[in-house]
Amino acid sequence: SNIGLTTTDMNIGWSAATGTPDGYIVLRTTAVGAYPDTDPVDGTPYTAGNTLGNATVMYVGSSVTAAIASLTAGSQYSYEIYSYNGNPTNATVNYRTTSPLQGQAYTLALEPTAHSSAFSVASYGSTTITFNIQALSGITNAAGYNILYKTGT
């Protein structure tokens, strides 16, 4: 499966199922470390936004991609994708509930509001350098620092 993401959106994609099903239903849960816990029920039509067990229906249709919006930054989302035959808007729909496609993804964390104002070398040796980094007061969303270095000219 393919995933494109931001802090609040995900575009997920998957390979088409063999046998050319009529479409797919995508379920999403925010339960950490868990997948959706309830399979869709044959003959039951679902639409995006419906609740099914611990999950929300995010997409119903024939495409092999789904755009998921209004997510929370830095959060885990778990998906199950089921194929179906029949009309998903009436009682003829028949879901394949054996071994649904599963996947997990995180949205990006929020970008920090600023950079460190200064750093200095505290100590160094032949293979290590220790830095002191001065954080600015008021920086939000910073979880750490990346230090890039270049050798040579």
Side-chain angles (χ1 to χ4, degrees):
S1 59
N2 300 313
I3 298 176
L5 51 93
T6 68
T7 57
T8 59
D9 302 298
M10 271 184 207
N11 294 309
I12 62 173
W14 56 93
S15 299
T18 56
T20 317
D22 291 330
Y24 304 91
I25 181 171
V26 176
L27 304 181
R28 181 198 77 202
T29 185
T30 57
V32 176
Y35 285 99
D37 62 4
T38 304
D39 294 330
V41 177
D42 291 339
T44 304
Y46 299 98
T47 58
N50 288 154
T51 299
L52 187 59
N54 71 342
T56 302
V57 176
M58 299 309 300
Y59 172 79
V60 179
S62 59
S63 179
V64 291
T65 62
I68 314 295
S70 301
L71 303 175
T72 301
S75 296
Q76 176 185 339
Y77 296 92
S78 300
Y79 295 91
E80 284 189 338
I81 302 168
Y82 299 82
S83 56
Y84 65 80
N85 277 326
N87 185 334
T89 63
N90 66 38
T92 66
V93 67
N94 187 355
Y95 302 98
R96 177 169 176 83
T97 56
T98 304
S99 302
L101 179 62
Q102 294 181 323
Q104 293 179 324
Y106 288 82
T107 50
L108 296 175
L110 292 173
E111 185 175 294
T113 56
H115 295 288
S116 173
S117 62
F119 73 92
S120 61
V121 175
S123 64
Y124 63 93
S126 62
T127 59
T128 62
I129 299 175
T130 302
F131 292 101
N132 289 325
I133 299 174
Q134 178 184 350
L136 293 173
S137 61
I139 292 179
T140 58
N141 306 321
Y145 298 95
N146 286 329
I147 298 174
L148 306 177
Y149 72 95
K150 177 182 175 185
T151 58
T153 56

